[in-house]
Amino acid sequence: MNAGQATCSDGPLRNLPAYLQIVRGRLRIAMTYRQNALFMLAVVILQIFILRKVWTALYGEAGVVNGVALADVLVYLTIANLQSWAMQDLAVGSYLYSLVREGRIAFDILRPAGFVPQMLAHLVGGTLSMVLFATAALPLVALVGTLGPPASSAAFGYWLLSLFFAFGISMLLNLIVGLGAFWTTEIGAFGMLFTLVSQFLAGALIPLYFFPDWLRTVAELLPFQATTFTPVAMYGGQLAGSEAVQAIGIQLLWIVLLAGAVRLIWSRALHRIVVQGG
Amino acid sequence: MPTLIRAEGLTKYYRRPRRYEGAFGGLRTLITRQYDEVRAVDGVDFTVSDGELVGYLGPNGAGKSTTIKMMTGVLVPTGGLIEVDGTAPWRDREKNAMHIGVVFGQRSQLWWDLPLVDSFTLLGKMYRMSEADYRRRLDGFIDLLDLGPFLDRPVRQLSLGQRMRGDLAAAMLHEPSILYLDEPTIGLDAVARDRMRDFIAEMNRESGTTIVLTTHDLVDVEALCNRVVFIDKGRVLYDGSVVDLKATYAPHRTLVVQLASGFTAARAAELLGPEVPGDVIADEGPTLRIRFEANRISAQEIISAVTSRCPVTDLSLVEPELEDVMRTLYGNRTIAV
């Protein structure tokens, strides 16, 4: 296909073709297991439907609560849930757990490419396939939930930029959960707890502006809100102007902090690697 | 030939959390951070020269896999020295990775959910091969290991023999100068084993690949290795040729004598008496076995002693099996609790 292109160059990008190949492989795996993904997607669409019913009932006759109209909340919830579903790719996390548990991690360590970049490539591929599924499901989502246009063209621009960083943050969070494999051998219950707590604190079930003050403070001190609330609130125009710029700055700060955390965790993990069995 | 791998006083200790028995034992295990030290490899010395094919043997839990993992750079030694081609493998994993290949028989490096060929494509890019090199090598392995029929099948659908062939090709695709094989024939049927052995021998002979092989299959060892390093409980018990190993630990040969009809083994044993050195084992019926030490008496002497006293229809000489050697070596172990 790309004859003569992938030859030995020595720059920092010399392993890029390998990482792209991993992304491609992940996409193919996602296609192999598309029925599973579609089933999971159905669960999310059901969740969007239920949230719509619940919030419509909660609003009742009131047109506006805390300065937010029902229609805006419904658009927020629809986009937030679809987005956070696409970010919660636990497949790569459980892949990492299986690598450690079965001792296959030795093979990935023995590659002439870094281990963490390899895992990030897996995450990029996994997330990309989820985004593709979510995009394909948009017509159905519009039918079941509520979709609306962005508040303005500026809001749309902010949303796209912020969404990009949001994916970065959630990939780093997923990687940290995955690296937990070096300390415990099971992801099951912890993975579910992580999904639930992060979804809640990200504002996927209740928009952050409805949180009581203390809980909102807690949520704002954690990275999860930057994965969901920040971009979706920009889409709806609740977060605009200098506030939006500041929120993007906070996202970048989280990326730097979490990347540092990954570095630290990986160096400790490598130090204590004991390949299981044998 | 130059030394390629050098281990001196190589040591690896693991720390395992101490477990408590009885009521609340699990809780105590969690709370008290006490560790037991397990000495997996305990001061191992050996060298491997360029182009050698060495068998690295020992019972389960002897420390073979741990040593292999230190040689490949997965594990960092607790103490001692390990050098592969002049550098410590764990210090520069990525450089070391370019010239080693690894097969762990009980594990696979292939991409489980994807067609076999996809794993090769990834490795081609991972080891930064040119498109032309990649094609040429892959075609070579497709021929040599007959991968053609299942190249496009997902790895999870392959038989163990097919998967192992895929794993071997995956380990060799970047033409490493050293190949580590950790139990490559485990679980394979007789035909697949033979094929695997032929391939290993060919890689060593034709490409000059240095090979370190661990196995429990002694036929592998006899067919492939000139030299073996035998370890147990983390220490080297023997390092030398297979021939010397047998001479040292299994010096006995056995002469099997078929007596003419009507002549029982018991009677023959009586006739031979104490004149014949060695153990005379008289079976029921006409078969007599004489076990003797080859360096104390020649087979010729025993045969003439037997034929001059008893009517014999057939004679055969049984060489010691490597398995007997292993039994002797394993038997000498002090049993650890």
Side-chain angles (χ1 to χ4, degrees):
Chain A
M1 217 164 44
N2 303 318
Q5 171 238 321
T7 37
C8 329
S9 58
D10 273 334
L13 295 179
R14 60 189 180 167
N15 288 320
L16 198 60
Y19 301 143
L20 289 178
Q21 194 61 36
I22 293 178
V23 172
R24 244 172 259 155
R26 271 283 150 203
L27 285 169
R28 294 189 67 171
I29 291 180
M31 286 314 289
T32 312
Y33 290 104
R34 60 184 173 275
Q35 279 163 331
N36 186 46
L38 293 178
F39 181 74
M40 303 288 285
L41 195 58
V43 173
V44 166
I45 292 172
L46 184 66
Q47 182 169 318
I48 289 172
F49 178 73
I50 292 170
L51 281 170
R52 178 179 147 187
K53 289 287 168 204
V54 168
W55 280 91
T56 309
L58 278 176
Y59 260 71
E61 296 302 311
V64 173
V65 176
N66 278 12
V68 187
L70 174 62
D72 290 338
V73 174
L74 294 182
V75 171
Y76 172 93
L77 288 170
T78 306
I79 296 179
N81 275 278
L82 201 58
Q83 227 180 264
S84 95
W85 174 78
M87 288 178 189
Q88 297 286 344
D89 181 24
L90 287 176
V92 175
S94 51
Y95 171 72
L96 230 162
Y97 272 78
S98 76
L99 283 187
V100 174
R101 199 173 43 232
E102 294 158 26
R104 278 185 297 137
I105 191 131
F107 291 116
D108 294 272
I109 293 171
L110 294 177
R111 299 264 184 253
F115 179 80
V116 170
Q118 285 182 64
M119 289 304 124
L120 274 174
H122 278 279
L123 280 164
V124 169
T127 305
L128 209 56
S129 53
M130 301 287 270
V131 170
L132 290 178
F133 285 128
T135 311
L138 273 179
L140 183 61
V141 172
L143 204 69
V144 172
T146 311
L147 279 182
S152 65
S153 57
F156 186 70
Y158 278 132
W159 174 67
L160 274 185
L161 186 66
S162 170
L163 188 59
F164 183 74
F165 295 135
F167 275 113
I169 294 171
S170 79
M171 265 182 257
L172 288 169
L173 285 172
N174 287 341
L175 185 58
I176 288 172
V177 174
L179 287 173
F182 289 95
W183 284 270
T184 68
T185 41
E186 284 302 330
I187 191 172
F190 178 71
M192 274 157 70
L193 186 70
F194 175 79
T195 309
L196 193 69
V197 170
S198 66
Q199 263 199 348
F200 179 74
L201 289 172
L205 306 177
I206 303 167
L208 246 57
Y209 41 70
F210 288 141
F211 278 20
D213 283 344
W214 67 271
L215 192 57
R216 179 149 192 190
T217 311
V218 171
E220 276 171 354
L221 288 173
L222 293 170
F224 306 108
Q225 43 88 21
T227 65
T228 305
F229 178 76
T230 301
V232 186
M234 285 177 185
Y235 187 89
Q238 292 94 351
L239 209 56
S242 64
E243 269 188 350
V245 174
Q246 197 190 352
I248 286 179
I250 291 172
Q251 281 187 314
L252 286 173
L253 190 67
W254 275 119
I255 289 182
V256 172
L257 285 177
L258 292 172
V262 165
R263 260 188 105 91
L264 188 74
I265 294 169
W266 169 240
S267 73
R268 304 204 118 195
L270 192 60
H271 191 73
R272 61 166 285 156
I273 279 181
V274 172
V275 179
Q276 301 212 345
Chain B
M1 268 182 288
T3 300
L4 201 57
I5 304 173
R6 177 194 305 281
E8 273 168 27
L10 186 62
T11 305
K12 180 73 190 180
Y13 296 166
Y14 292 117
R15 294 201 317 160
R16 300 231 165 97
R18 180 169 291 168
R19 306 216 169 267
Y20 292 94
E21 303 282 319
F24 306 114
L27 199 62
R28 258 181 97 188
T29 305
L30 263 178
I31 298 168
T32 60
R33 279 274 158 199
Q34 288 209 2
Y35 292 92
D36 284 328
E37 205 171 58
V38 183
R39 303 184 167 208
V41 174
D42 196 8
V44 160
D45 301 281
F46 64 87
T47 60
V48 178
S49 301
D50 197 3
E52 259 193 301
L53 201 171
V54 181
Y56 195 62
L57 312 180
N60 292 328
K64 301 185 298 292
S65 289
T66 304
T67 314
I68 294 250
K69 280 168 196 157
M70 287 192 281
M71 287 194 272
T72 52
V74 180
L75 289 182
V76 180
T78 312
L81 172 95
I82 178 77
E83 253 181 30
V84 178
D85 206 10
T87 51
W90 52 272
R91 205 167 271 145
D92 196 349
R93 276 194 192 84
E94 292 178 23
K95 178 173 160 272
N96 182 56
M98 284 306 274
H99 63 245
I100 65 163
V102 187
V103 174
F104 295 120
Q106 319 211 40
R107 284 155 196 152
S108 177
Q109 66 166 308
L110 304 170
W111 215 334
W112 196 245
D113 292 308
L114 293 178
L116 178 60
V117 70
D118 285 16
S119 291
F120 297 140
T121 314
L122 175 60
L123 290 170
K125 308 219 168 186
M126 196 65 98
Y127 289 90
R128 305 193 277 278
M129 300 172 204
S130 73
E131 190 68 26
D133 276 350
Y134 168 72
R135 273 270 39 117
R136 180 179 52 77
R137 293 172 191 176
L138 183 58
D139 287 344
F141 285 117
I142 290 173
D143 276 355
L144 209 55
L145 290 163
D146 196 17
L147 304 175
F150 48 89
L151 207 53
D152 293 317
R153 217 180 292 161
V155 172
R156 69 185 129 80
Q157 291 175 11
L158 302 185
S159 74
L160 183 62
Q162 292 171 332
R163 204 213 76 203
M164 279 307 301
R165 271 140 72 194
D167 259 305
L168 260 185
M172 293 293 295
L173 201 59
H174 56 292
E175 297 185 336
S177 52
I178 307 172
L179 181 62
Y180 299 99
L181 300 171
D182 195 0
E183 303 189 27
T185 55
I186 196 159
L188 298 184
D189 64 41
V191 178
R193 262 166 212 251
D194 281 348
R195 182 175 211 148
M196 188 69 71
R197 279 180 204 126
D198 289 347
F199 178 81
I200 294 169
E202 181 157 338
M203 279 298 120
N204 178 247
R205 203 175 48 236
E206 304 296 324
S207 314
T209 312
T210 306
I211 297 177
V212 178
L213 166 78
T214 82
T215 180
H216 289 291
D217 187 335
L218 299 168
V219 185
D220 287 349
V221 178
E222 296 210 68
L224 293 169
C225 310
N226 292 318
R227 185 180 145 216
V228 294
V229 175
F230 189 94
I231 73 160
D232 191 17
K233 292 200 281 174
R235 291 169 186 273
V236 174
L237 292 188
Y238 176 84
D239 181 350
S241 72
V242 177
V243 178
D244 286 346
L245 179 67
K246 282 187 185 174
T248 314
Y249 289 97
H252 293 97
R253 302 164 89 187
T254 306
L255 181 71
V256 183
V257 182
Q258 290 296 334
L259 299 160
S261 61
F263 214 80
T264 62
R267 173 139 170 70
E270 215 169 276
L271 281 173
L272 287 168
E275 267 173 68
V276 181
D279 302 325
V280 177
I281 307 145
D283 290 351
E284 288 288 308
T287 309
L288 184 74
R289 287 169 200 280
I290 305 169
R291 197 163 165 271
F292 61 99
E293 278 186 45
N295 53 5
R296 287 183 50 199
I297 184 167
S298 73
Q300 163 80 49
E301 283 174 75
I302 295 201
I303 291 170
S304 60
V306 173
T307 46
S308 66
R309 288 178 176 80
C310 320
V312 171
T313 59
D314 192 25
L315 283 169
S316 61
L317 207 51
V318 180
E319 294 291 329
E321 299 270 342
L322 198 53
E323 201 145 333
D324 300 330
V325 176
M326 297 302 149
R327 255 181 229 119
T328 316
L329 276 169
Y330 291 10
N332 289 344
R333 304 164 79 189
T334 43
I335 291 153
V337 184

